[in-house]
């Protein structure tokens, strides 16, 4: 599930690169690194391999949600 979210999150990531929004790329990469350093060791100590998988899921879910800004739904008058 984490890998599927990562694949979907890459759509937004590539969109940022194409539109030269490199600050967003830097912010999400820094946040992912920080979350990895915080969550991975703690969850691995508590739950083993399942904790590592959950850490991967958390990081990719957050990246996926943040990267959804490329989906802009426009309202059209009827």
């Amino acid at each position: 599930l984490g890998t599927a979210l990562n694949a979907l999150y890459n759509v937004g990531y590539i969109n940022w690169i194409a539109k030269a929004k490199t600050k967003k790329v830097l912010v999400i990469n820094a946040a992912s690194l920080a979350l990895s350093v915080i969550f991975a060791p703690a969850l691995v100590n508590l739950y083993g391999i399942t904790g590592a998988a959950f850490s991967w899921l958390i990081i990719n879910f957050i990246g996926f949600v943040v990267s959804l800004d490329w989906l802009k739904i426009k309202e059209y008058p009827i």
Side-chain angles (χ1 to χ4, degrees):
L1 187 56
T3 302
L5 286 172
N6 186 275
L8 293 172
Y9 141 50
N10 277 320
V11 174
Y13 193 88
I14 296 301
N15 187 42
W16 291 334
I17 292 172
K19 293 184 176 182
K21 295 181 179 181
T22 54
K23 186 174 181 181
K24 286 188 176 189
V25 172
L26 178 64
V27 169
I28 196 66
N29 284 341
S32 293
L33 176 63
L35 290 172
S36 294
V37 169
I38 293 167
F39 283 123
L43 290 174
V44 168
N45 282 336
L46 288 172
Y47 303 108
I49 194 72
T50 305
F54 191 67
S55 174
W56 176 248
L57 179 66
I58 291 169
I59 292 162
N60 286 299
F61 180 75
I62 292 168
F64 171 71
V65 170
V66 171
S67 74
L68 286 178
D69 69 345
W70 65 273
L71 272 176
K72 297 204 183 343
I73 300 172
K74 295 181 182 181
E75 292 184 26
Y76 293 101
I78 297 176

